Amino acid sequence: MAIITVREALNSAFKEEMRDDPTVITLGCDIGVRGGPFGITLDLMKLYGKDRVIDTPISESSFVGAGIGAAATGLRPVVEVLYSDWITLGMDQLVNMAAKMRYMFGGKVNLPLVVRAPFGSGGGIAAQHSQSFEAWFNHVPGFKIVAPIEPYDVKGMLKEAIRDDNPVIYFEHKRSYAVEGEVPDGAEGESYTVPFGKAAVRREGTDVTIIAYSMMALRAKEAAEQLASEGVSCEVIDLRSLLPLDYETVMESIAKTNRVVVCQEANLRGGLAGDIVAEIIDRGFDLLDAPPVRVGALNVPTPYNKGLEELCIPGTENIKAAVKRALSDE
């Protein structure tokens, strides 16, 4: 096993998939010569040429549409939207075309499109660069949605997404690229993938189930470790895959703990946490000894000021408070 960063895990997945499959291409702003602002596609143009690593104009509507056309005609494009905030500019193509084409053509057209969408807040990048839109795509039939945070999952899920014949929205947290973790090296590292629809239990516990994804999964682990010193045993589930979502693992955990906290970094109103809570109630209301508790950002645009941003965006302390609230409802 090797210790690598999320940035290195993504770059490694790209190199292996592009080496093994000549139909894999990638396109987006500054991803070629520059290697992307986050360094994810570094050296890809040198290795695979400008016909497969395509620097595009600053026009998300055009290169998202180009990616959809490429997918429908035999290629496996990975489109990078530099900040997921700007995925709004390609929403017509994604929602009305990409999500529906395979269905509307009776399965005769595959659409192996991956849209990499760095999302989330932190670092004082203000209201137009800090948003999380995963709930929007969860509402649209036809997509698969993933949001891994550990380097092992980041690499394995990108490889899985590239090989999938359906459109995948691949959310990466903007502040995660330096996160380190173990990833297999050698032949095993090149061959493994992480399947969609299977959550990971990051910590076992008996008192409360904490469900989270992306950066909030890391915060949930931190909260669980701190609460353990207070005698509270939390089970932490990192969803990794948002659509499909592993409700089997979720409900097995709730059957054990009988209490649940669901965390998202996105604005709380209309978010994925609310949908997950509704599904939990439908599947196992009688398992709950207390009302589910949601954790999310305040329903305001993200401030530029870092102090104000910290007040708006949930973190470890918010999760700890939510766990205590869940335990207080006897």
Side-chain angles (χ1 to χ4, degrees):
M1 300 288 277
I3 304 294
I4 65 173
T5 64
V6 164
R7 178 181 291 106
E8 292 168 326
L10 289 165
N11 185 261
S12 177
F14 262 119
K15 287 177 178 176
E16 291 167 11
E17 293 302 300
M18 295 188 77
R19 177 198 65 198
D20 295 341
D21 185 348
T23 68
V24 177
I25 65 170
T26 184
L27 58 159
C29 294
D30 290 333
I31 67 166
V33 174
R34 187 179 175 190
F38 300 118
I40 307 304
T41 52
L42 196 66
D43 295 330
L44 293 187
M45 180 174 277
K46 181 170 62 177
L47 289 170
Y48 302 110
K50 63 181 181 180
D51 291 335
R52 294 181 64 194
V53 182
I54 304 167
D55 274 325
T56 67
I58 306 175
S59 176
E60 285 77 8
S61 60
S62 65
F63 64 73
V64 167
I68 294 169
T73 52
L75 297 178
R76 291 188 174 272
V78 181
V79 174
E80 178 182 308
V81 178
L82 175 56
Y83 286 94
S84 68
D85 309 69
W86 305 330
I87 209 167
T88 54
L89 299 168
M91 285 295 280
D92 177 44
Q93 291 94 326
L94 288 171
V95 172
N96 290 320
M97 299 296 175
K100 297 172 174 61
M101 285 179 69
R102 196 173 187 195
Y103 171 80
M104 293 179 70
F105 287 114
K108 295 180 180 179
V109 173
N110 291 335
L111 207 80
L113 171 73
V114 181
V115 179
R116 290 182 47 238
F119 77 144
S121 60
I125 51 178
Q128 294 174 330
H129 302 75
S130 302
Q131 299 169 95
S132 301
F133 292 147
E134 63 272 20
W136 289 8
F137 293 98
N138 186 63
H139 185 68
V140 181
F143 288 120
K144 296 183 179 181
I145 308 168
V146 296
I149 192 66
E150 302 281 356
Y152 178 92
D153 298 329
V154 164
K155 180 177 180 179
M157 284 189 142
L158 181 56
K159 291 169 74 74
E160 183 81 0
I162 290 171
R163 299 178 191 186
D164 200 297
D165 286 334
N166 299 283
V168 178
I169 311 296
Y170 188 99
F171 285 107
E172 308 159 13
H173 201 283
K174 300 183 187 86
R175 314 301 295 180
S176 73
Y177 294 119
V179 171
E180 294 184 332
E182 288 189 339
V183 173
D185 51 12
E188 182 185 357
E190 294 188 6
S191 62
Y192 88 96
T193 63
V194 175
F196 299 163
K198 184 61 179 175
V201 179
R202 300 299 185 193
R203 182 187 180 96
E204 293 191 356
T206 56
D207 294 331
V208 180
T209 297
I210 307 176
I211 300 168
Y213 56 92
S214 192
M215 190 61 72
M216 292 302 286
L218 298 184
R219 301 290 174 258
K221 287 198 297 182
E222 293 172 359
E225 290 165 3
Q226 294 174 21
L227 286 166
S229 66
E230 302 176 27
V232 179
S233 175
C234 296
E235 184 146 297
V236 178
I237 297 176
D238 179 358
L239 292 175
R240 306 189 295 188
S241 172
L242 306 182
L243 186 65
L245 195 148
D246 182 5
Y247 281 106
E248 181 178 353
T249 296
V250 166
M251 299 312 298
E252 285 177 357
S253 179
I254 293 172
K256 178 171 59 173
T257 65
N258 307 118
R259 288 174 169 79
V260 63
V261 172
V262 186
C263 308
Q264 63 181 47
E265 188 180 299
N267 302 114
L268 191 60
R269 184 177 59 235
L272 195 61
D275 192 60
I276 293 169
V277 166
E279 192 73 27
I280 288 169
I281 291 171
D282 283 347
R283 290 171 180 255
F285 179 78
D286 292 341
L287 297 174
L288 296 168
D289 288 343
V293 181
R294 293 177 299 151
V295 175
L298 300 181
N299 295 312
V300 298
T302 305
Y304 171 71
N305 179 279
K306 289 186 179 182
L308 292 176
E309 181 184 46
E310 289 177 2
L311 292 175
C312 295
I313 302 304
T316 304
E317 293 302 317
N318 301 90
I319 299 172
K320 289 167 62 178
V323 168
K324 293 176 181 179
R325 179 180 164 193
L327 289 169
S328 68
D329 290 312
E330 299 293 345

